[in-house]
Amino acid sequence: MARKEVSKKALTKSFWNWFYGNLTCFSQEHMQTFGYLVSMLPIVDELYDDKEEKQKAMETYTAFFNTEPQIGTVVVGITAGLEEARANGEQIDSEMINGIRAGLMGPLAGIGDSLIVGTLIPILLGIGLGLSGGGSPLGAIFYIIVWNILAISGMRLLYFKGYELGGKAVEVIVGEKATAIRESVIMVGTIVIGAVAATWINITTSFKLNNAEGGTIIDLQKTFDGIFPKLLSAITVIFCWWLMKKKKMSPTTVMLILVVIAFVGVLLGFFNPGLTY
C-alpha cells in the first residue's frame, strides 16, 4: 500500500486555519481546543477516507489545549506530522499525541509570553507610538504591517519545522523507547500543571477560635501551614480534578461549584474576601 502523505495544500490550509482561528470559540472551558480542531481538519480529511476513521482521529484533538499561539504553532505542526505517521500504521496513539501536546503547551506558553507578549509586541508598539506623534497614522500602519510580516513568516516557519520534526520524531517515540519517552513527556506536563497550581492558586481561611478575653486559641490557617503549606490550595486542585476526571463534570460546572463553596464559606466566616464597604 502506498504511503499516505499530506499535501502542501492541506498543510498550508491547516496553517492558515490556526493563524486565523487559534482562538475560535474561545472560552475558559475549552480555550484553544476548537481552534486546534479547525487546524487539524484539512490534515485528517486528506489522510483518511473512512468517515469513522476521520471521527476517531479528530476526537484526539478534543482534549483541552492552550498555549501562546505564535510560538505554539510548532505543536500543531508536530501533531500534523504525527497524524501522518499514525495514518501510515506507525505505533502512535491518541494518548501519545495528547501527552506531547500537554507536555509542550505549558513551557512554550512561558517562552512565547516572554518573547512575544513581553518583548516583541511592546517594542513594536513603542516604535509605533513614536511614529504617531502629532496624530500621524504612520505608527498604526507600521505596527500592522511589521507585526503581520513577523507573525506570518515566523509562525509559518515554526509550523513546517514542527511538521518535519513530527515525522522524524516517529523514529524516536516508537519502539523500545516509546514508553519511557511518553511517560517523560506526560511527567513534564504534570510538573508544569503542578507549578501553575502552586503559583497561581492561593486559598486561605480566616477562621479563628478566640477565648472569652479575645485571645486567639486556634488560628486555623497557621495550623494548616504547620501541617502542610498551601494545604487548602492543594485540596482544591485535587477536588477539581476529582470532579472532572471521576465525576465527568465540565469545567464550567466545577467553577459554579467553587463559586457556591466560596459564597457559603464567606457567610460562615471560613473565608474572608477582604472586601470593605
Side-chain angles (χ1 to χ4, degrees), residues 113-136:
D113 287 343
S114 299
L115 292 179
I116 307 299
V117 181
T119 304
L120 178 61
I121 290 178
I123 290 174
L124 294 180
L125 286 174
I127 297 173
L129 288 171
L131 294 173
S132 298
S136 172

Side-chain angles (χ1 to χ4, degrees), residues 61-112:
Y61 307 99
T62 59
F64 176 87
F65 186 82
N66 185 52
T67 191
E68 199 284 319
Q70 280 74 49
I71 299 296
T73 307
V74 69
V75 184
V76 187
I78 288 173
T79 52
L82 291 174
E83 192 61 57
E84 180 184 276
R86 177 163 67 168
N88 284 288
E90 299 287 354
Q91 296 301 309
I92 295 174
D93 56 19
S94 297
E95 183 181 353
M96 179 181 290
I97 292 175
N98 278 321
I100 291 172
R101 292 205 307 158
L104 290 176
M105 69 179 183
L108 289 179
I111 295 171

Side-chain angles (χ1 to χ4, degrees), residues 237-266:
V237 172
I238 294 171
F239 176 64
C240 293
W241 169 84
W242 179 75
L243 290 176
M244 290 188 288
K245 181 70 175 180
K246 302 299 182 181
K247 296 299 181 181
K248 306 299 182 183
M249 292 186 180
S250 69
T252 302
T253 303
V254 173
M255 284 189 283
L256 290 174
I257 291 174
L258 293 178
V259 170
V260 172
I261 292 174
F263 182 76
V264 174
V266 170

Side-chain angles (χ1 to χ4, degrees), residues 9 50 104 123 132 169 181 188 236 269:
K9 180 180 179 181
D50 185 72
L104 290 176
I123 290 174
S132 298
I181 292 177
V188 170
T236 302

Side-chain angles (χ1 to χ4, degrees), residues 173-189:
I173 62 178
V174 299
E176 296 180 357
K177 297 181 180 179
T179 301
I181 292 177
R182 180 189 306 182
E183 291 179 353
S184 299
V185 172
I186 293 175
M187 184 178 293
V188 170

